Amino acid sequence: QVQLVESGGGLVQAGGSLRLSCAASGSIFNINLMGWYRQAPGKQRELVAQITGGASTNYADSVKGRFTISRDNAKNTVYLQMNSLKPEDTGVYYCKALVVGRLYWGQGTQVTVSS
């Protein structure tokens, strides 16, 4: 099994920055894809950003130019650098990993952006 441990969430003012981290541990042979999703109360979970094993990236239109996803393969860790944060970025952020054809999720970390 694979465990995903997230950190870096918190409360920040609009225009500020946060960096989320997600460290994967356990029975890992190869991480094919890692990504970040978020969910606000009353809304569906949505893709924020993802990075493939080939290092290609994809972002939601709402975060392009503000968020950057990256990986440290030696540490099996994915990061989400969030700049110019807006109140609409508020939500629970979940880390996702696809490992040898199986999907794993982190427990979620709260990000709150005040106006």
Side-chain angles (χ1 to χ4, degrees), residues 36-38 45-50 57-69 80 89 93:
W36 290 94
Y37 288 72
R38 68 187 180 191
R45 185 173 56 189
E46 64 176 351
L47 173 69
V48 177
Q50 65 181 26
T57 58
N58 185 51
Y59 297 92
D61 288 340
S62 60
V63 307
K64 287 181 179 178
R66 300 188 297 119
F67 291 10
T68 302
I69 188 170
L80 185 67
D89 295 318
Y93 283 67

Side-chain angles (χ1 to χ4, degrees), residues 6-12 18 20 36-48 62-63 66-67 80 82 85-95 107-114:
E6 300 158 333
S7 61
L11 175 64
V12 66
L18 287 173
L20 305 183
W36 290 94
Y37 288 72
R38 68 187 180 191
Q39 186 169 19
K43 297 183 179 180
Q44 290 187 311
R45 185 173 56 189
E46 64 176 351
L47 173 69
V48 177
S62 60
V63 307
R66 300 188 297 119
F67 291 10
L80 185 67
M82 305 186 294
L85 283 162
K86 304 175 181 180
E88 51 262 43
D89 295 318
T90 293
V92 179
Y93 283 67
Y94 297 91
C95 179
Q107 80 288 345
T109 184
Q110 178 70 43
V111 172
T112 302
V113 184
S114 64

